[in-house]
Amino acid sequence: MAAPQATLGADLEPPTTDLITLTRHILSRQRALGEEASGDLTMLLIAIQVTSKYIASNVRKARLINLVGLAGASNVQGEDQKKLDVLSNDIMVNALQASGKCSVMVSEEVDEAIIVGGSKGTYAVVFDPLDGSSNIDAGVNVGTIFGIYKVADPSKASVADVLKPGKNLVAAGYTMYGSSCNLVLSTGQGVDGFTLDEALGEFILTHPDIKIPSRGKIYSFNEGNSLHFYEPTNKYLESIKYPANGKPYSARYIGSMVADVHRTLLYGGIFGYPDDKKSKDGKLRMLYEAFPMSFLTEQAGGLATTGTQRILDVEPKNIHGRCPVFLGSKEDVEDLKKFYDAWDGEKRW
């Protein structure tokens, strides 16, 4: 007699019916703050999630109809702007302005800080509207990175409200546009990840309370620049590629900061974009790349350093200033720091 066949799916748990949307999550955090919460941050974050949905839609369209092409201009970094960069920037600026809660904006794509005239918004937002856009045609994940500061006096909002160390951020996050659309957010109470449900048109909580492993097995550096790296970086990389235990780390480098940091948060390990003999200050911008990603990393239990200083303690001198970045699992970053502590060369940070 033949053995009875197992019922298909009998051992699977039924899907949850209690869907926590991003809006619901933000509102619950507001209630947890009690009287301290005015609702302004909630409205601002809701505006950001709307822009994320719109940009995600345009990224999909760009890949389908090959929209991406040069816009005929360069941004303040001297990099060619893509049509989608410009579009994403406009979407962000318009949505944040319309929220009525933002009085200062800094974008990678705009030379000067944007002061919203007549606004009494209590927050300032710094953002890279489309990180990794040069990879779009190759189907690589790209994303939006943002950080939020509290404005000291909304009636006198100025660039000074964002020229502060990253430790002054009240919230930070990123949205990643790829095979799925993921939004990762921290308001200083840990890190949570959401995935856009296309059918519902809502971001659903799928990665609650993200904790980066204390040690990983992956390193993410652009080793094509290793000729220019300073000694501590190269010595650290050598230590994980040729370890005494015979178990080398795996190399994973995408070239889109959002994608590389997202993987690091989930799987552990270390991401690095150091300063070197060619790029004296590093490549990544403090306000809208290094600070938000370092904030998220620390909130998830990891570390973020320039090699010699905590990134969130660095004082920015201008809105497009750069700094070295090493972030990831606590033990991995501590190992990297030991090489810098032992270095007798010039310490830039």
Side-chain angles (χ1 to χ4, degrees):
M1 180 178 179
Q5 293 185 347
T7 303
L8 181 62
D11 57 343
L12 298 179
E13 292 290 332
T16 179
T17 56
D18 184 21
L19 299 180
I20 300 177
T21 65
L22 177 55
T23 302
R24 174 181 163 186
H25 174 81
I26 293 169
L27 290 172
S28 69
R29 290 298 168 94
Q30 177 186 331
R31 287 193 292 270
L33 291 172
E35 294 181 358
E36 296 180 16
S38 64
D40 286 2
L41 182 59
T42 298
M43 293 297 295
L44 192 62
L45 290 171
I46 289 173
I48 289 174
Q49 75 159 312
V50 171
T51 68
S52 295
K53 295 175 187 177
Y54 192 19
I55 294 173
S57 173
N58 280 283
V59 168
R60 287 195 301 274
K61 290 177 184 177
R63 285 173 170 155
L64 284 171
I65 63 174
N66 196 26
L67 170 67
V68 180
L70 293 181
S74 294
N75 63 17
V76 69
Q77 313 303 329
E79 301 161 340
D80 288 326
Q81 287 178 310
K82 301 283 190 176
K83 287 180 180 177
L84 206 53
D85 283 341
V86 177
L87 177 62
S88 300
N89 179 73
D90 291 347
I91 291 169
M92 289 285 291
V93 170
N94 290 334
L96 292 172
Q97 182 173 337
S99 75
K101 308 303 178 184
C102 178
S103 55
V104 183
M105 288 177 262
V106 170
S107 168
E108 182 191 22
E109 305 300 334
V110 182
D111 292 10
E112 305 294 334
I114 301 169
I115 309 300
V116 183
S119 172
K120 299 297 183 182
T122 52
Y123 290 98
V125 183
V126 295
F127 55 92
D128 181 347
L130 200 62
D131 172 72
S133 59
S134 62
N135 291 312
I136 286 179
D137 285 344
V140 173
N141 288 5
V142 296
T144 299
I145 308 171
F146 62 89
I148 302 174
Y149 289 93
K150 191 77 181 284
V151 172
D153 183 349
S155 65
K156 300 176 182 178
S158 72
V159 69
D161 288 302
V162 296
L163 286 179
K164 300 175 182 178
K167 63 186 177 185
N168 294 102
L169 287 167
V170 297
Y174 61 81
T175 308
M176 183 174 68
Y177 314 113
S179 56
S180 61
C181 180
N182 303 93
L183 192 152
V184 176
L185 173 70
S186 175
T187 56
Q189 301 166 288
V191 180
D192 295 291
F194 303 80
T195 302
L196 181 61
D197 185 313
E198 301 284 356
L200 294 176
E202 292 280 357
F203 281 99
I204 305 298
L205 180 63
T206 51
H207 296 76
D209 195 22
I210 294 172
K211 296 295 184 187
I212 188 169
S214 60
R215 181 176 291 280
K217 299 178 181 179
I218 298 172
Y219 72 97
S220 183
F221 287 64
N222 182 1
E223 289 190 271
N225 292 329
S226 59
L227 174 66
H228 307 293
F229 287 169
Y230 290 117
E231 182 180 343
T233 303
N234 277 326
K235 283 194 169 182
Y236 170 71
L237 291 173
E238 183 179 352
S239 76
I240 59 176
K241 290 192 291 184
Y242 306 99
N245 65 7
K247 298 179 180 179
Y249 278 38
S250 296
R252 298 286 187 273
Y253 183 72
I254 298 170
S256 166
M257 188 184 189
V258 167
D260 281 314
V261 172
H262 186 70
R263 183 197 56 248
T264 304
L265 282 176
L266 295 183
Y267 300 156
I270 185 168
F271 166 85
Y273 212 111
D275 58 338
D276 56 35
K277 298 163 192 172
K278 185 178 178 182
S279 302
K280 301 296 184 182
D281 295 328
K283 179 185 177 184
L284 299 177
R285 270 71 73 171
M286 293 183 213
L287 287 187
Y288 40 80
E289 291 177 325
F291 286 174
M293 292 307 204
S294 297
F295 185 87
L296 290 166
T297 300
E298 288 198 4
Q299 285 291 317
L303 294 178
T305 180
T306 65
T308 59
Q309 182 181 357
R310 179 191 180 210
I311 288 176
L312 294 182
D313 288 337
V314 175
E315 296 273 355
K317 301 295 191 298
N318 61 77
I319 61 173
H320 297 294
R322 306 168 189 249
C323 74
V325 173
F326 301 97
L327 58 80
S329 296
K330 183 174 184 291
E331 294 178 26
D332 289 313
V333 176
E334 286 175 341
D335 287 346
L336 177 281
K337 287 170 63 179
K338 290 174 184 175
F339 287 91
Y340 273 88
D341 291 342
W343 188 37
D344 59 3
E346 181 182 355
K347 295 191 175 181
R348 303 176 182 277
W349 297 91

